[in-house]
Amino acid sequence: QLVDLGNTKADVTSLCGSPLMTDSYCKPITRKQYDSEGRELITESCEDIDVWSYNQGTGTFWKHVYFAQGRVVDIQSGERVR
């Protein structure tokens, strides 16, 4: 594996080249907090996630690299390339 968690998009591009496909989505985040009187406060927001997909050649698996705030946060294998 060439790419590690925490690598930047520039790192990934220099190691792997440009991705074959890109996508992005907003990952929901729910936070629970309590005010000074003990009442529960729920806030909802989202984190922008970018996904870069690489085809490593016939017989291998797609690699999907997930970025948050410009850094790798996850790497997953997908379907086998035919």
Side-chain angles (χ1 to χ4, degrees):
Q1 177 173 315
L2 296 175
V3 175
D4 292 312
L5 298 180
N7 284 151
T8 65
K9 288 181 177 183
D11 295 333
V12 175
T13 300
S14 75
L15 291 168
C16 305
S18 296
L20 185 61
M21 294 186 298
T22 62
D23 196 6
S24 61
Y25 64 93
C26 192
K27 177 182 173 182
I29 299 173
T30 302
R31 290 188 176 93
K32 289 184 183 180
Q33 298 175 334
Y34 295 90
D35 68 12
S36 61
E37 296 177 10
R39 292 180 294 216
E40 183 178 75
L41 303 172
I42 298 176
T43 58
E44 294 183 1
S45 62
C46 70
E47 180 177 32
D48 291 326
I49 303 292
D50 294 318
V51 185
W52 289 8
S53 298
Y54 289 90
N55 174 339
Q56 299 179 298
T58 303
T60 63
F61 294 91
W62 280 92
K63 289 293 183 186
H64 306 290
V65 182
Y66 294 78
F67 296 90
Q69 298 179 359
R71 296 202 172 262
V72 176
V73 293
D74 195 15
I75 303 166
Q76 295 183 9
S77 293
E79 299 278 327
R80 185 179 296 273
V81 177
R82 296 176 193 248

